[in-house]
Structure formats: structure tokens, C-alpha cells
Amino acid sequence: MKRTKAFGTPWIAILGCVCLVLGLTGSMETALADPASNRILKEPSTRTAGKVKMEVFVDFYCPHCHHFEATVLPELRREFGAKLEVTQTGLPLIRNKPRTPFELYEAARAEGKGEAMAKVLFRVLQDERLDVREGAVATRSLKEAGLDPGAITKRLISGEAKRSLEEGIARANRYSVRVTPTVLLDGYVLVEDTTAANLRQLIRKLLSGEKL
């Protein structure tokens, strides 16, 4: 797999997909469960005593990401509770696909509703297969996430959401994120094997103070 690359499209467009980079098409992949899937980055640790910070790079059109959000995350949250701090970063990986859902997510996150919006986007885009370019769909989705469509529109028009998205993409490029979902633990442990078993083991080690 080659490195991730960001693709620019206007916020009013939509339909992206999955797990392949630099615009090359092909079948989706699941990261292999081997040591090579856990990479130690030359990045400063963001560790806080008694807590692990988990950043998840997701593509809202990626079925693996949908599965992770619906099954793996709840399992980890049940086990670790407040000891696990989770954020999601939208990462569009397919060439020539619009980025509307990702910018909607960034705008929602700025309003403190990122998690709720992510859930809605996964369902609307993958389960219902609807197009959030359509006004009624967008409005319904925002309201379901507890958001004011007017406030979100302002963030989109101002370019704030786009800048936030591009910052996330730039970080993913720096880390050489290759697939989605990919997890970053405590700012320096990059994990492609995002099974609950692998993540549980890594989180336990980090909570114990073990250096990975």
C-alpha cells in the first residue's frame, strides 16, 4: 500500500469510499494481526497518568470503519471506561471523491458533537445509502446529531471545517497512515491491527506504564 494522500473537492460534493490511497482503486483490506501492524512513531507521547488517548482515523464510507465504530469501540469503552479517551479523525482516501461528510463531521466536532455526527454519517452513508448533498438528508442528519444546521453552515462557509479536515489529513500523511481504520495511541503508537484483542492488549500495557 502506498501512502495516504489528500484529495481536494468542494464541500458541496459527496460520495467517497475506503481504504486505498493515492487514488488507486482495488479491494478493501483488513490490517494483518502481526507485530508489523503496530508501529512506534518518532512523535512525542501525549500520555496522561491513568488514561490512554486513542485517535481513530476513519473514512465514513469504509465498512471496516463502520464495523469498528459499531462493535470494537463500544467493547473497549465498556472495559476501560473513563481511562480511554477517544477521538475520531475523518480521512478520505479515494481519489476524486467529494469530502462533504468529512467537513460536516469536522464542523460537528467543533460544536462538541463529533461522536454523535460520526454515528449518523456511518448509518446514513452506508446503511441507508443516502446522499448528504441533498438538503433534506443533510438537515435531518444534523438534527439527529443534535446540531443546529445554521451553525454548521456557517462553519462550512467560513472554511473552518475544511481547514480542520486538511490538518487531520496532513497528520495522517506524516504518520504514513495506510488504511482505515487506523488507531493512534498516546500520540506515538500507530496501530493497523484494530481488532479488540490487539487494542485491549496495547491499552493495558500503556495503562500499566509500560513503554512500547
Side-chain angles (χ1 to χ4, degrees):
M1 299 290 293
K2 299 183 184 293
R3 291 189 177 186
T4 313
K5 183 178 180 180
F7 302 103
T9 53
W11 79 264
I12 50 173
I14 195 153
L15 262 114
C17 192
V18 234
C19 308
L20 294 173
V21 293
L22 287 174
L24 299 177
T25 57
S27 60
M28 292 179 296
E29 69 176 25
T30 302
L32 299 177
D34 59 50
S37 67
N38 303 328
R39 290 187 280 144
I40 305 302
L41 304 179
K42 294 181 179 179
E43 297 284 339
S45 171
T46 59
R47 185 173 185 273
T48 301
K51 180 175 290 188
V52 170
K53 295 180 180 179
M54 172 188 285
E55 180 179 9
V56 188
F57 291 94
V58 298
D59 186 323
F60 296 112
Y61 285 93
C62 169
H64 296 306
C65 297
H66 190 5
H67 172 78
F68 182 88
E69 188 273 337
T71 62
V72 177
L73 270 184
E75 183 176 341
L76 295 175
R77 281 176 165 144
R78 281 193 298 271
E79 177 167 350
F80 297 106
K83 295 179 180 179
L84 183 64
E85 181 182 314
V86 180
T87 60
Q88 296 185 75
T89 297
L91 184 62
L93 296 182
I94 293 291
R95 188 180 193 175
N96 296 328
K97 298 296 183 181
R99 305 191 303 182
T100 305
F102 302 92
E103 292 189 25
L104 285 172
Y105 170 72
E106 291 299 332
R109 184 159 67 164
E111 293 283 321
K113 295 286 187 178
E115 183 178 343
M117 191 63 194
K119 289 180 180 296
V120 171
L121 285 170
F122 278 124
R123 191 192 73 246
V124 169
L125 298 177
Q126 295 197 42
D127 300 339
E128 300 176 10
R129 297 186 179 277
L130 297 177
D131 186 343
V132 293
R133 288 177 300 179
E134 298 178 5
V137 176
T139 298
R140 190 200 79 184
S141 299
L142 292 170
K143 289 183 175 179
E144 283 186 20
L147 290 157
D148 173 13
I152 295 301
T153 299
K154 288 180 181 179
R155 291 187 182 276
L156 293 170
I157 293 174
S158 72
E160 175 187 340
K162 181 179 180 180
R163 288 191 295 272
S164 181
L165 173 60
E166 289 175 346
E167 288 171 3
I169 292 171
R171 286 192 302 103
N173 281 328
R174 188 170 81 241
Y175 304 153
S176 297
V177 173
R178 301 175 294 188
V179 296
T180 56
T182 288
V183 164
L184 183 67
L185 296 174
D186 278 352
Y188 76 100
V189 183
L190 197 71
V191 185
E192 290 181 354
D193 173 11
T194 55
T195 59
N198 185 53
L199 288 169
R200 184 182 298 111
Q201 181 182 43
L202 292 171
I203 292 168
R204 286 173 178 169
K205 287 182 177 180
L206 289 168
L207 286 172
S208 73
E210 182 177 339
K211 183 71 175 179
L212 299 180

